[in-house]
Amino acid sequence: MSELRRKGLWIVVVGLILVGGALFATSFWKSESSIKPPLPTVRVGSVTAEVKQSTFCWSNGGEAVCEDHGLPEADDLQLVPVEPGAEIDVEFHAEPSNASFHQIIDGELVRSEPVVPDEPGVYLFETGGEWPRGDSRYVFGVEVEE
């Protein structure tokens, strides 16, 4: 084999190794956010609350991702000031089956109507449901001022 042909063969082999390595490395760079459920819009009276993703299992084609999150503390959420007794309207990306709504009281989920309590204070809520692509929970917080 000639010297020129041998160098050409090595260049091809090294090139294939580099391309294969690059493809392998980029497979780990997939954004987790590409397989996450969409966040709902939560309106409390006339204010839109910041919603955070909580526990979920969601699929997209042949891939699925599950994440488990503990219940938040008030410091974990951006609280919005709201009126006492304001109604809470949760608008999901699509209507869920088995939808639920809870107030988080002392680290526990307590079934609740989607209405802010009348007393001043900080209130945390959790809502969610099931869809054909998976299930998801969401959390948000409000503050009723005096």
Side-chain angles (χ1 to χ4, degrees), residues 3-114:
E3 184 69 28
L4 185 57
R5 194 172 209 181
R6 194 168 37 200
K7 283 184 180 180
L9 183 61
W10 276 110
I11 289 173
V12 169
V13 169
V14 169
L16 288 173
I17 290 171
L18 289 174
V19 169
L23 290 174
F24 181 73
T26 58
S27 70
F28 291 106
W29 290 341
K30 277 189 181 176
S31 171
E32 286 183 27
S33 65
S34 67
I35 304 179
K36 279 192 177 183
L39 293 174
T41 300
V42 174
R43 288 183 192 82
V44 184
S46 61
V47 178
T48 300
E50 179 193 36
V51 179
K52 283 196 165 186
Q53 180 69 62
S54 190
T55 299
F56 71 92
C57 282
W58 205 253
S59 65
N60 185 13
E63 295 183 73
V65 173
C66 290
E67 287 185 15
D68 190 20
H69 298 263
L71 293 174
E73 298 289 329
D75 294 342
D76 300 330
L77 301 171
Q78 182 179 348
L79 304 175
V80 294
V82 298
E83 296 292 321
E87 288 191 24
I88 300 169
D89 178 44
V90 180
E91 192 175 304
F92 293 106
H93 65 283
E95 194 62 34
S97 63
N98 300 325
S100 65
F101 190 87
H102 297 93
Q103 185 175 345
I104 303 169
I105 300 175
D106 295 327
E108 299 290 327
L109 294 176
V110 177
R111 282 208 178 272
S112 171
E113 293 297 317

